[in-house]
Amino acid sequence: MLTLWTRVVQAAFIFLTTESIGVLLDPCGHISPESPVVQLGSNFTAVCVLKEKCMDNFAVNADNIFWKTNHATVPKEQYTVINRTASSVTFRDVSSLNTQLTCNIYAFGQIEQNVYGITIISGLPPEKPKNLNCIVNEEKNMMCQWDPGRKTYLETNYTLKSEWATEKFADCKAQRDTPNSCTLDYSPVYFVNIEVWVEAENALGNVTSDHINFDPIDKVKPNPPHNLSVRSSEELSSILKLAWINPSIKSFLRLKYSIQYRTKDASTWSQIPPEDTSSTRSSFTVQDLKPFTEYVFRIRCMKEDGKGFWSDWSEEASGITYEARPSKEPSFWYRIDPSHTHGYRPVKLIWKTLPPFEANGKILDYEVTLTRWKSHFQNYRVNDTKLTVNLTNDRYIATLTARNLVGRSDASVLTIPACDFQAAHPVTDLKAFPKDNKLWVEWTAPAESVNKYILEWCVLSDKSPCIPDWQQEYGTVHLTYLRGNLMESKCYLITVTPVYADGPGIPESVRAYLKQAAPSKGPTVRTKKVGKNEAVLEWDQLPVDVQNGFIRNYTILYKTAFGNETAVNVDSSHTEYTLSSLTSDTLYMVRMAAYTDEGGMYGPDFTFTTPKFAQGEIEAIVVPVCLAFLLTTLLGVLFCFNKRDLIKKHIWPNVPDPSKSHIAQWSPHTPLRHNFNSKDQMYSDGNFTDVSVVEIEVNDKKPFPEDLKSMDLFKKEKNSTEGHSSGIGGSSCMSSSRPSISSGDENESGQNTLSTVQYSTVVHSGYRHQVPSVQVFSRSESTQPLLDSEERPEDLQLVDNVDSGDGILPRQQYFKQNCSQHETSQDISHFERPKQVSSVNEEDFVRLKQRQISDRISQSCGSEQMKMFQEISTADVFGPGTEGQVERFETVEMEAAIAEGMPKSYLPQTVRQGGYVPQ
């Protein structure tokens, strides 16, 4: 059952498919004409007719028809509705060769439906064939050719027709690939005329060519002569004999010939005159040829009356003419070696080998004859092209001849002048230029008669010497080219020397290139001098081996790291150039190119940096400053010299001599001078009065200065002087003893005012070797400023322990006193008076010492540089009366109030042998 239903379904599918295909194969209309062929440029109209059935099924009519060409809709302006079933479209000036044209409708008003389609084929009708001609190749059938004319773009048939007057021959149809020729199938019959024409036909029409009538014998093309041979003649060196075999058509046809020849190396042919070969023959003698020269020949033939066609050329044949005497003398020249022995000079004679067309045979040898002026001659036979001989300094005449198998050439004569010969009369306007791949040389001849010219040339190179080549020209020549193997991109040095009857003239030289090229490499630039705003660049000329042409100019390109590149052109004669308007302290990049007529080449890049200052600019600043400084210094020195008294008064005041002090007026025992030169004159039996001193602690390890050693005399006199102390300064002013100044107050007062310090020398001996009954001292009125250590109280140290002899620090003693300071000035500063008889009680003294100790401890961090001096024992100096007693010199610093107008000065004073020393 399932199988039956399957078969039914398949049958139904086949039936429906068949019905559908049948509907598709039955179009709804058609286009007329069905297969149109249209001439290019003409008008064409097509009509589409709809069937009634389709019009009913799809509810359309002719108004619903639209046209397409190659799937592009045709504009409706070209439509024409003929009736409800037909619509036409018109195309004007058809230009497309093959066009697809379709008729279409919109079914149910919106569905596009193709009704019918055709292909429009367009082309041109055939033109009349022209230039019809026929040729009868020997032993072959006749072939005719014609010009078919323009291309038709359609399938066109060409038919060659022929006939006799009484008989027609079979047509010859041209092949599609060769529509312009056709070969007849039958052999031609000579001496009977035949008529021939061509017919051309395609879908757009047909046409016939003109008829031609001819005898086939007048259209014959013979076969070429064969077995051509050439042989020379020993009698004459200028002839060659040719021989050949004629074609077989010669038996009933008279022929004429064309003979051509050339030398073996030539490319053009020479023609034998036609009148010499206008009759039938099988040999010919060619004359006026060059001796000992190889020639190549060829030959062809045709009908004697000139009707028909020339045969093809025969195979080439060659032959060599016989030798003859050389037709020209060899080119002859000489060179003199500059190194020569006394009385003799080596002369090298050179000559050129004769070319074959001048040698006229094989050169066997050369004969050279040297004739000394008015003397005998010498002969040389040479197989080479040079000869070196040693000649005297006299004038010589040299002759040269070349010999072959037939004979000798004419002699070439050369005059070798004497050593004292002065050359003259050079050529002028010498120039060289390339043309037609040759290097031409041109010059203007001298006014004098010239026998010949010698042209020499060589390749200039920095790596190899200049090896010259040369050639000789007649004296009438002023333009020629160099006959040699010249190379491109090489520089040639060309020299032209005129040769006169008595010897050579002055040579002239010029450089030239056969063909120039761009340089192989560019120049290497470097800096010669670099300034703030300019730089001098220099470079070397390129070696001639890499120039490859004449350097016309140089181009310098320079720029900064971020700037635009600037180009400068420099003449080729320069080797340096100055770049100006540069920026100081800037890096510049430079590259340089050399240019010939054919291009340029850049050299390597180069960089340089401009300096920040120009040369001499720093000197221009420093030198005036130094001169101004020196001038200022000199003016200052001169000013100081002129004002030396005023400067000395303020800076180095005179310190009065204590021996001349006013104390001598009230101290009758004052000595006129102090003498401490002898230790025996020290005050052995006297006592000191109370003395106030400046005490500065020093390092125990440092030795005492010489100035302070004498103060050791007072070390043991402390107890004896304490009872009599009234203060040197105070005594001089009839006042009580002066107290010491504390370190705290001393710093303040030292910074604000100057103190007047009296200098005293303690006198411990009598006047003029007299023994004084009492101790005396002298007073000074000096106002010398104190040392820096005195004006800085932080550098001073007070006595650690007054009562105890133990732990006394070493000190350096300086005398200090103030003659104008009243003893009531104790309120200004604190003083220290150890063990003096005064109204100060012991309790006040203890408080004073405690304060001094606390001040010293507070300044201990800044007093590392305080100097410590040892106490010097004076027991041995002052005698037994002072034994056991120690004199301590205390630091005293006085400050006078600015309001009182009292000047201050500080100066340490030490006792020396022989007098006082201000510090």
Side-chain angles (χ1 to χ4, degrees):
M1 188 66 179
L2 180 60
T3 303
L4 179 61
W5 278 105
T6 301
R7 291 179 179 177
V8 171
V9 171
Q10 290 178 350
F13 177 74
I14 293 173
F15 173 78
L16 293 175
T17 302
T18 304
E19 289 296 323
S20 299
I21 292 175
V23 172
L24 293 176
L25 293 177
D26 186 13
C28 289
H30 66 277
I31 297 176
S32 179
E34 283 279 343
S35 301
V37 177
V38 183
Q39 184 175 345
L40 289 172
S42 64
N43 298 333
F44 171 71
T45 300
V47 178
C48 180
V49 179
L50 298 178
K51 293 182 179 181
E52 293 289 343
K53 182 180 178 180
C54 288
M55 293 173 60
D56 296 338
N57 291 339
F58 298 108
V60 295
N61 55 31
D63 293 333
N64 300 109
I65 294 176
F66 63 95
W67 299 83
K68 285 187 176 182
T69 56
N70 296 333
H71 307 290
T73 302
V74 178
K76 291 185 178 182
E77 291 79 5
Q78 299 178 224
Y79 302 171
T80 300
V81 177
I82 300 174
N83 52 40
R84 61 181 299 272
T85 61
S87 175
S88 66
V89 62
T90 301
F91 298 96
R92 300 185 182 279
D93 192 11
V94 176
S95 59
S96 299
L97 298 178
N98 295 303
T99 304
Q100 301 293 329
L101 178 63
T102 59
C103 175
N104 308 275
I105 61 173
Y106 283 109
F108 306 107
Q110 58 182 359
I111 301 174
E112 182 178 331
Q113 179 68 41
N114 180 261
V115 174
Y116 203 79
I118 63 173
T119 300
I120 302 175
I121 300 174
S122 56
L124 296 170
E127 282 188 332
K128 179 181 177 180
K130 295 176 292 186
N131 300 328
L132 177 60
N133 196 10
C134 295
I135 182 171
V136 179
N137 291 303
E138 184 180 358
E139 301 175 353
K140 292 182 181 180
N141 295 337
M142 185 174 66
M143 182 187 69
C144 295
Q145 295 177 323
W146 60 89
D147 181 8
R150 67 188 177 187
K151 191 175 181 179
T152 63
Y153 305 105
L154 300 174
E155 183 179 351
T156 304
N157 298 321
Y158 293 90
T159 303
L160 177 64
K161 294 180 177 292
S162 60
E163 64 180 10
W164 285 344
T166 59
E167 182 180 355
K168 290 186 177 181
F169 297 101
D171 294 340
C172 179
K173 293 186 178 295
Q175 299 295 324
R176 183 166 297 182
D177 55 344
T178 57
N180 62 337
S181 67
C182 188
T183 302
L184 298 175
D185 294 337
Y186 58 92
S187 299
V189 178
Y190 298 121
F191 307 110
V192 178
N193 286 354
I194 188 172
E195 188 175 356
V196 178
W197 70 95
V198 178
E199 291 183 357
E201 182 182 9
N202 64 14
L204 295 178
N206 57 62
V207 67
T208 301
S209 70
D210 294 335
H211 292 225
I212 60 174
N213 194 303
F214 60 89
D215 185 351
I217 196 65
D218 295 334
K219 301 294 182 180
V220 171
K221 178 182 179 181
N223 290 329
H226 55 281
N227 295 340
L228 177 65
S229 63
V230 181
R231 61 186 179 88
S232 62
S233 173
E234 295 183 1
E235 294 81 9
L236 296 173
S237 60
S238 61
I239 65 172
L240 286 174
K241 296 180 179 181
L242 306 181
W244 63 88
I245 298 176
N246 287 311
S248 59
I249 200 173
K250 169 186 172 291
S251 58
F252 59 88
L253 190 67
R254 293 187 63 82
L255 302 175
K256 68 177 181 179
Y257 305 91
S258 175
I259 300 175
Q260 291 183 345
Y261 66 95
R262 61 179 175 85
T263 59
K264 184 178 180 180
D265 299 328
S267 60
T268 58
W269 294 89
S270 298
Q271 179 75 40
I272 298 295
E275 58 271 16
D276 294 341
T277 58
S278 60
S279 60
T280 302
R281 65 180 62 203
S282 59
S283 64
F284 186 82
T285 300
V286 182
Q287 302 177 1
D288 296 330
L289 301 178
K290 295 179 180 179
F292 201 67
T293 304
E294 184 176 3
Y295 288 91
V296 179
F297 296 89
R298 65 182 181 179
I299 188 172
R300 64 181 178 174
C301 63
M302 70 175 298
K303 189 181 176 185
E304 186 180 37
D305 60 4
K307 295 179 179 179
F309 300 91
W310 284 103
S311 69
D312 294 332
W313 289 104
S314 67
E315 293 182 356
E316 295 178 356
S318 62
I320 301 176
T321 56
Y322 199 70
E323 292 187 28
R325 175 177 171 270
S327 61
K328 184 181 178 181
E329 69 277 5
S331 299
F332 196 22
W333 189 233
Y334 74 95
R335 294 192 181 100
I336 299 177
D337 193 342
S339 61
H340 59 274
T341 58
H342 181 68
Y344 289 90
R345 47 181 175 161
V347 178
K348 184 178 181 180
L349 301 174
I350 55 177
W351 54 90
K352 288 285 186 178
T353 301
L354 288 173
F357 63 90
E358 294 177 350
N360 296 336
K362 183 179 180 181
I363 300 299
L364 301 179
D365 57 39
Y366 298 92
E367 183 176 0
V368 179
T369 301
L370 289 172
T371 304
R372 188 175 178 182
W373 182 248
K374 296 181 180 180
S375 180
H376 64 281
F377 61 88
Q378 298 175 346
N379 286 338
Y380 301 90
R381 286 188 180 273
V382 184
N383 294 323
D384 201 355
T385 57
K386 60 181 180 294
L387 173 66
T388 302
V389 293
N390 285 326
L391 303 180
T392 62
N393 295 331
D394 298 325
R395 177 184 175 188
Y396 283 82
I397 302 297
T399 60
L400 173 69
T401 58
R403 184 179 69 90
N404 62 8
L405 189 62
V406 177
R408 292 187 179 277
S409 68
D410 294 336
S412 179
V413 182
L414 182 65
T415 300
I416 303 174
C419 287
D420 56 354
F421 175 77
Q422 298 294 329
H425 309 301
V427 299
T428 57
D429 302 327
L430 178 62
K431 58 184 177 180
F433 54 91
K435 181 181 179 181
D436 299 332
N437 204 29
K438 295 179 181 179
L439 191 55
W440 293 80
V441 183
E442 186 178 10
W443 63 90
T444 300
E448 288 72 16
S449 176
V450 180
N451 290 346
K452 61 182 178 181
Y453 293 98
I454 300 296
L455 279 72
E456 297 177 283
W457 68 91
C458 65
V459 177
L460 291 179
S461 175
D462 297 323
K463 301 178 181 178
S464 59
C466 184
I467 303 175
D469 195 1
W470 65 283
Q471 70 186 45
Q472 177 179 304
E473 299 292 340
Y474 289 111
T476 57
V477 174
H478 60 86
L479 174 64
T480 185
Y481 66 91
L482 301 183
R483 295 182 291 273
N485 297 323
L486 304 182
M487 297 177 289
E488 297 180 355
S489 304
K490 296 295 183 181
C491 183
Y492 287 94
L493 178 64
I494 304 171
T495 303
V496 178
T497 305
V499 180
Y500 303 98
D502 58 346
I506 297 176
E508 287 291 327
S509 299
V510 67
R511 296 187 180 191
Y513 285 86
L514 178 62
K515 186 177 181 180
Q516 299 187 52
S520 302
K521 67 176 185 178
T524 301
V525 66
R526 59 186 179 273
T527 53
K528 181 179 180 181
K529 180 182 178 182
V530 180
K532 178 181 179 182
N533 300 114
E534 64 179 15
V536 180
L537 304 179
E538 65 176 358
W539 58 92
D540 297 326
Q541 292 283 0
L542 287 177
V544 68
D545 294 307
V546 301
Q547 289 184 9
N548 300 336
F550 293 112
I551 303 299
R552 301 303 184 186
N553 67 282
Y554 298 102
T555 298
I556 301 175
L557 299 177
Y558 65 98
K559 66 174 183 177
T560 60
F562 303 102
N564 295 327
E565 199 167 48
T566 303
V568 178
N569 290 327
V570 183
D571 189 78
S572 60
S573 61
H574 297 167
T575 57
E576 67 176 45
Y577 183 79
T578 301
L579 300 179
S580 58
S581 302
L582 302 181
T583 305
S584 62
D585 195 20
T586 304
L587 176 67
Y588 282 89
M589 290 172 284
V590 181
R591 57 182 180 142
M592 186 175 183
Y595 282 88
T596 64
D597 293 336
E598 298 298 325
M601 177 63 69
Y602 281 95
D605 292 348
F606 175 74
T607 60
F608 68 90
T609 303
T610 54
K612 190 172 184 179
F613 299 99
Q615 185 178 4
E617 187 173 353
I618 297 178
E619 292 82 349
I621 297 174
V622 173
V623 169
V625 171
C626 294
L627 292 177
F629 176 78
L630 292 176
L631 181 61
T632 303
T633 304
L634 181 60
L635 292 176
V637 171
L638 292 177
F639 176 79
C640 293
F641 182 77
N642 292 333
K643 302 296 183 178
R644 61 184 180 276
D645 294 336
L646 181 62
I647 295 173
K648 183 177 180 181
K649 177 179 179 182
H650 291 278
I651 299 178
W652 299 289
N654 292 327
V655 178
D657 188 355
S659 62
K660 298 178 182 180
S661 175
H662 293 290
I663 193 173
Q665 299 178 3
W666 55 267
S667 180
H669 300 289
T670 299
L672 295 177
R673 63 183 178 88
H674 305 291
N675 186 5
F676 297 100
N677 292 333
S678 177
K679 190 174 181 180
D680 296 339
Q681 297 178 4
M682 299 300 287
Y683 313 103
S684 58
D685 55 349
N687 292 324
F688 279 105
T689 60
D690 183 49
V691 179
S692 297
V693 299
V694 175
E695 298 179 355
I696 300 177
E697 296 180 358
V698 299
N699 196 330
D700 293 340
K701 297 181 181 181
K702 291 186 178 181
F704 274 101
E706 292 295 334
D707 295 344
L708 301 178
K709 287 182 180 181
S710 60
M711 297 190 64
D712 191 40
L713 302 173
F714 303 99
K715 181 177 181 181
K716 297 181 180 180
E717 294 299 326
K718 179 183 178 188
N719 293 333
S720 62
T721 58
E722 286 177 352
H724 301 85
S725 177
S726 61
I728 296 177
S731 300
S732 62
C733 296
M734 303 301 295
S735 62
S736 62
S737 61
R738 300 174 55 186
S740 298
I741 302 174
S742 66
S743 60
D745 295 336
E746 185 183 13
N747 187 25
E748 180 180 358
S749 62
Q751 295 177 357
N752 297 324
T753 61
L754 296 175
S755 301
T756 300
V757 179
Q758 306 300 327
Y759 294 86
S760 300
T761 300
V762 179
V763 181
H764 202 64
S765 62
Y767 179 71
R768 299 182 181 273
H769 306 288
Q770 299 177 8
V771 178
S773 59
V774 295
Q775 306 297 333
V776 298
F777 59 90
S778 300
R779 174 180 173 273
S780 173
E781 296 293 337
S782 176
T783 60
Q784 176 69 31
L786 294 177
L787 296 179
D788 183 56
S789 60
E790 293 181 283
E791 294 182 353
R792 295 191 308 177
E794 63 270 14
D795 294 338
L796 303 178
Q797 292 291 335
L798 297 177
V799 179
D800 292 333
N801 192 347
V802 179
D803 298 332
S804 174
D806 299 334
I808 298 176
L809 295 175
R811 307 173 178 89
Q812 181 179 1
Q813 295 87 10
Y814 294 87
F815 292 94
K816 307 175 87 175
Q817 63 184 6
N818 191 341
C819 63
S820 63
Q821 181 68 36
H822 196 266
E823 66 182 6
T824 59
S825 63
Q826 294 180 4
D827 296 334
I828 300 175
S829 59
H830 299 278
F831 297 88
E832 178 184 355
R833 297 204 39 94
K835 296 184 180 181
Q836 289 189 359
V837 179
S838 64
S839 61
V840 181
N841 56 30
E842 188 172 350
E843 181 179 355
D844 295 335
F845 181 78
V846 171
R847 287 196 303 270
L848 177 61
K849 294 302 294 178
Q850 290 177 351
R851 180 175 180 180
Q852 293 173 349
I853 293 173
S854 63
D855 291 341
R856 185 181 69 250
I857 294 174
S858 64
Q859 298 177 5
S860 61
C861 294
S863 61
E864 293 178 2
Q865 302 299 326
M866 301 291 286
K867 297 185 187 232
M868 306 292 289
F869 296 89
Q870 286 185 337
E871 294 183 351
I872 304 174
S873 174
T874 57
D876 297 333
V877 179
F878 295 103
T882 61
E883 185 178 357
Q885 297 181 3
V886 179
E887 177 64 25
R888 297 187 60 192
F889 300 93
E890 303 169 353
T891 301
V892 180
E893 182 176 330
M894 298 299 296
E895 178 180 3
I898 296 177
E900 296 178 5
M902 302 298 291
K904 269 189 171 183
S905 65
Y906 300 85
L907 184 66
Q909 174 68 36
T910 59
V911 176
R912 280 190 178 181
Q913 295 180 359
Y916 64 93
V917 179
Q919 300 294 327

